[in-house]
Each structure stands twice: as C-alpha cells, then as structure tokens.
Amino acid sequence: MTGLDPPHRALVFDVFGTVVDWHASIVREGELLGAQLGRPIDWPAFARRWRAGYQPALSRVRDGSIGWVNVDELHRQLLDGLIAEFGLEALTPAQREHLNRVWHRLAPWPDVPRGLARLKAGRIVATLSNGHVALLVDLARFGGLPWDCVLSAELFQAYKPQPEVYRGAAALLGFEPHEVTMVAAHPSDLHAARDAGLRTAYVRRPLEYGLGEPFTPAPDADFDIAVDDFDALAARLGD
Amino acid sequence: MTGLDPPHRALVFDVFGTVVDWHASIVREGELLGAQLGRPIDWPAFARRWRAGYQPALSRVRDGSIGWVNVDELHRQLLDGLIAEFGLEALTPAQREHLNRVWHRLAPWPDVPRGLARLKAGRIVATLSNGHVALLVDLARFGGLPWDCVLSAELFQAYKPQPEVYRGAAALLGFEPHEVTMVAAHPSDLHAARDAGLRTAYVRRPLEYGLGEPFTPAPDADFDIAVDDFDALAARLGD
C-alpha cells in the first residue's frame, strides 16, 4: 500500500459464490436427500441449472416486469420448474421447502473464516448481496461469519447491478463510494460497483460451478485488486 | 418457559441505555477532555442535558416538522446548544466534532458481552435503535457486540416509537411480529413495540442517568419478561 492507494475503509461482499460455495453445498445436501429417494440424481447438474435461472429471474424484477420478490420466492419458482427435469417428483412438500432453503445453509469457502477475521480487524466488513436480510442472517449464523453489518439489495428494493444498491450501501455505512470496496467473484458485479464509484476487489473462485467446469479468470487490470482468496486480500490490504 | 410461551425467535435491542451506558461513557470522555481544558465542568449534568434534548429532537422528525436527519446531526445541534451553558467555548472545532462522536464510542453495560453471547447461541439478536446504521456499526465494533444484524430506524426513515420501525424489523428478519421480542430499558419503547405486535422484555437499568439519580422501575406486569440484566434474560429464555 502507498499513501495514494484508496483507503478501503469498508469492504462489502458479494455472498453467493464469493463468500459461500453454493455448488458444493447444494450437491452435498442433494446427495443426502437423494439417498432417501432411492435413485441417482445428477446433483452437480441440478445445482448449476438452479443457479442458471437466478439472473434471468432477478432481471424480471430489475426491469419491472414483476414487482419485488425476494430470493427465497425466486429460488422456489425455479426449483418447481426443475422437479420433472431431474426426476424429483417424489419429494414431499416439506422436502421441497427444505431443499429450497438450502440457500440459507451454504458453507463458506475454506479461506473465508480466517480471512474475514483478519479483514474485520482493520476495516468494516459487510455483506452486499441480492439475498434478502433474513437469508443473509441465516448464512452468517450457519457459517460463523462475523459481519459488522448485513446489507442487502432488499434494503433498496433493487437488485445488483442496479447502481442504487452500491451507492445505498456506502451511504448507510457513512462513507463516500470511493471509500468502499466491493469484493466479488463476478466481474459484472464489480464493473457495476466501479461505475457506481466504489473500488473493486476481484476474488477468483475457479471452483464456483464445480470440479471440472471451465473457468476463465477476468483480466486483473479490470479491478483495483485481484486475488485468489480472502487471506490474500487481507495481505494485499496490509491487514 | 412452558410450551405456551411465545417462541422469541429473534430479539431486537434498543441500544442507548439498554445495551450501552451512554451516561458513564460521556462522563468518562468528558473528564479526559476537561483535563485538557483546565477547568471543572459538570459532566454528569452535561450528559443528562445532552440526552434530555434527544427525544424532543426526534419528535420534530417524527411529526414531519423537519425532514429525515440522522442522530449524529441531531446530537450536534444539541451539543452546539450546550456549549455556552457548560462553559465549553474553548473546545476547538475538531474537539467538538470528536465529542459529538462519543455516541459512537459508548461502552456496553458490564453484563452485555456475556449475556449477548448466551442469547445469540439460541436465537437471532439484532439492534433496533434510533441510531443510524453507521453509528450502530461503530458501537458494535467498539464494544465487541456480536449482532447477527444491525437494524436501525434509518432503514425505515421513521423513528421509534413509530410502528413501522417495529413491524419493518420483524419483516426484514423474516418473522411475524409476535415471534420477535423487543428488549429495552424504556417502557415507552416497549409499549409501542407491544402495540405493533411484538413481545417485550424490560431490562431495568437503574443507573442509566448516573449514580444517585432517582429510578422508579415500571411494573413487571406491563411486559412479557422483566429482568435486571442480559444474563437474567438468557436464563429466563432457557439459553
């Protein structure tokens, strides 16, 4: 760090894929559930298909074609659309609801507990996720994540990458946008954060979509910081 | 607890006076500052006078006679009004600003760190304060308070005891109002929470206004729970 570097007074984190490993968590719960169902199900493919519906579903809220719907409801609509494709008709209503709430029980990537504790010592750490507050609270409790503050798109009734989410987060934390750094594994999120005036830290998560899936990292030069994990981010910030 | 008791799935906490000891914290900082000023100042009286202006200031926001103003700005207006009365004219602009931000550096009551950790193990714990998010984040970091979530009147652009603050907090946490318990040292806050459908836990804080100040506890029967500290609240809830 030099004196000219931005202060990074607060870090706001994307959560699905950046902080928590949604793919492995869904596959793990699916395998346990599948054992009860008594038939083989391609859970890695199921997890990817479920996730693939997410951005299109958010887009319908962003473009105003439907009103505000939280992520539990969007996930449930998407899940219902996958039941036949993946042979999950035998799931009871209670099992479907439980499966839908797997998004409240996603494990952090292995570097996160230690890295987040280091980062928190030196600056404010908050979520900035399209997940709603109640979901983010459950994830924090599930994974032992010591957020200073849980910020969500829900607070602004807008979904990332809409600029009011990034600017609103900085304002709630009492900072100018340039004092806040968005941390994410997704270039589109970071580009939108940059356009809203925030700094950007790219965390490469090559396993986000599972083992053996292709991964092409974005160019480091697109971001203020680019690292492989939260420990490296802490080291880069001098924490 | 019996099976008929409400679930208390989340506890939302008033902060000034309930979680943190604003009076002793202001007096302590004042004494240190006063030593630099080289003259005796009645800091206990100063702290009480500063606090006494708070509810009338909030009322002007609540009744719409002024637009949304956060607690830092309200405290600063009140502080400026006390400078002459307490002989604080020698304070520099930087010292005045630092003093104003003492509300970000208030120590928790001694029972809070241990009691809050116990309470958090069994249920969600969140702030629900008229303090804004940035201030509550600073207080949490200052006092090591492990909130699951920082909720503030600021998120609803309304100040307690306006009902949308209580109902909005329950909704953000994903609960019905009756599943959420307001924890506060102030009967008026608890009565408003009850009227909004929340459960209530009264924590007696006889020293809130300082040593030797009169204190008359509210009747226990007005609340679902009435206790002397957070440890007793945890014990009462079976945590």
Side-chain angles (χ1 to χ4, degrees):
Chain A
M1 298 268 301
T2 74
L4 296 177
D5 273 338
H8 303 289
R9 296 181 66 181
L11 305 177
V12 294
F13 292 76
D14 173 63
V15 173
F16 299 127
T18 301
V19 174
V20 296
D21 180 356
W22 55 266
H23 185 272
S25 300
I26 293 171
V27 169
R28 183 167 47 240
E29 286 215 16
E31 290 289 345
L32 296 171
L33 188 62
Q36 296 175 45
L37 291 178
R39 52 173 293 177
I41 288 156
D42 186 349
W43 290 109
F46 169 84
R48 283 191 289 272
R49 285 276 288 130
W50 202 0
R51 183 65 175 168
Y54 182 67
Q55 285 299 336
L58 293 181
S59 287
R60 293 191 300 139
V61 177
R62 282 191 292 252
D63 70 18
S65 55
I66 58 172
W68 180 262
V69 184
N70 77 25
V71 163
D72 278 349
E73 296 168 81
L74 293 175
H75 280 144
R76 183 55 199 259
Q77 291 167 16
L78 295 166
L79 173 61
D80 290 344
L82 296 174
I83 293 292
E85 179 180 342
F86 284 87
L88 297 169
E89 294 89 343
L91 290 177
T92 65
Q95 285 175 318
R96 293 177 195 204
E97 184 55 28
H98 183 75
L99 179 57
N100 195 57
R101 287 179 62 93
V102 69
W103 295 94
H104 295 234
R105 299 183 301 271
L106 304 173
W109 294 104
D111 54 288
V112 166
R114 172 185 147 95
L116 200 54
R118 278 180 72 183
L119 291 164
K120 181 176 178 170
R123 59 205 79 241
I124 289 168
V125 293
T127 61
L128 188 58
S129 168
N130 282 334
H132 48 301
V133 170
L135 180 152
L136 295 170
V137 166
D138 284 346
L139 282 181
R141 292 177 64 93
F142 186 81
L145 307 174
W147 304 117
D148 287 308
C149 185
V150 169
L151 299 180
S152 161
E154 181 184 27
L155 299 178
F156 314 105
Q157 298 281 295
Y159 277 122
K160 294 188 295 181
Q162 289 177 277
E164 54 264 49
V165 179
Y166 306 100
R167 292 191 194 121
L172 282 178
L173 293 174
F175 294 122
E176 296 298 320
H178 73 271
E179 299 177 301
V180 178
T181 301
M182 182 81 214
V183 182
H186 311 120
S188 59
D189 195 1
L190 294 169
H191 293 154
R194 178 195 61 203
D195 293 346
L198 279 68
R199 307 294 175 167
T200 57
Y202 175 50
V203 183
R204 289 177 286 265
R205 294 293 191 195
L207 300 181
E208 180 178 358
Y209 290 87
L211 298 170
E213 289 298 303
F215 174 77
T216 306
D220 287 6
D222 280 9
F223 314 105
D224 294 301
I225 297 171
V227 291
D228 283 323
D229 59 35
F230 283 17
D231 248 348
L233 179 58
R236 173 66 183 77
L237 294 175
D239 289 339
Chain B
M1 297 268 300
T2 75
L4 297 177
D5 273 338
H8 304 289
R9 294 181 67 182
L11 306 177
V12 293
F13 292 77
D14 174 62
V15 173
F16 299 128
T18 301
V19 173
V20 296
D21 180 358
W22 57 265
H23 185 270
S25 300
I26 293 171
V27 169
R28 183 166 48 239
E29 285 214 17
E31 290 289 344
L32 296 170
L33 187 63
Q36 296 174 44
L37 290 178
R39 52 173 293 181
I41 287 155
D42 186 349
W43 291 108
F46 169 83
R48 283 189 290 272
R49 284 276 287 133
W50 203 0
R51 182 66 175 167
Y54 182 66
Q55 284 300 335
L58 294 181
S59 287
R60 292 190 301 136
V61 177
R62 282 191 292 253
D63 70 17
S65 55
I66 58 173
W68 180 262
V69 184
N70 77 25
V71 163
D72 278 350
E73 296 168 81
L74 293 175
H75 280 143
R76 183 56 198 258
Q77 292 168 16
L78 295 166
L79 172 61
D80 289 344
L82 296 174
I83 293 291
E85 179 179 340
F86 285 87
L88 297 169
E89 293 88 344
L91 290 177
T92 66
Q95 286 176 317
R96 292 178 197 205
E97 185 54 26
H98 183 75
L99 179 58
N100 195 56
R101 286 179 63 92
V102 68
W103 295 94
H104 295 233
R105 299 182 301 269
L106 305 172
W109 293 104
D111 55 289
V112 165
R114 172 185 149 94
L116 201 55
R118 280 181 71 182
L119 291 164
K120 182 176 178 172
R123 61 205 79 243
I124 289 167
V125 292
T127 60
L128 189 57
S129 168
N130 281 335
H132 47 302
V133 170
L135 179 151
L136 295 170
V137 166
D138 284 346
L139 282 181
R141 291 177 66 92
F142 185 82
L145 307 174
W147 303 118
D148 287 307
C149 185
V150 168
L151 299 180
S152 161
E154 182 184 27
L155 299 179
F156 314 104
Q157 298 279 297
Y159 277 123
K160 295 188 295 179
Q162 289 177 277
E164 53 266 48
V165 179
Y166 306 100
R167 293 192 192 120
L172 282 178
L173 294 174
F175 293 122
E176 297 297 321
H178 74 271
E179 297 176 301
V180 177
T181 301
M182 181 81 213
V183 182
H186 311 121
S188 60
D189 195 0
L190 294 169
H191 293 153
R194 178 195 62 203
D195 293 346
L198 279 68
R199 306 292 174 169
T200 57
Y202 175 51
V203 181
R204 290 176 285 264
R205 294 293 191 195
L207 300 181
E208 179 177 357
Y209 290 87
L211 298 170
E213 290 297 303
F215 175 76
T216 306
D220 287 5
D222 280 10
F223 314 105
D224 294 301
I225 297 171
V227 291
D228 284 322
D229 59 36
F230 283 16
D231 248 349
L233 179 58
R236 173 67 181 76
L237 294 175
D239 289 342

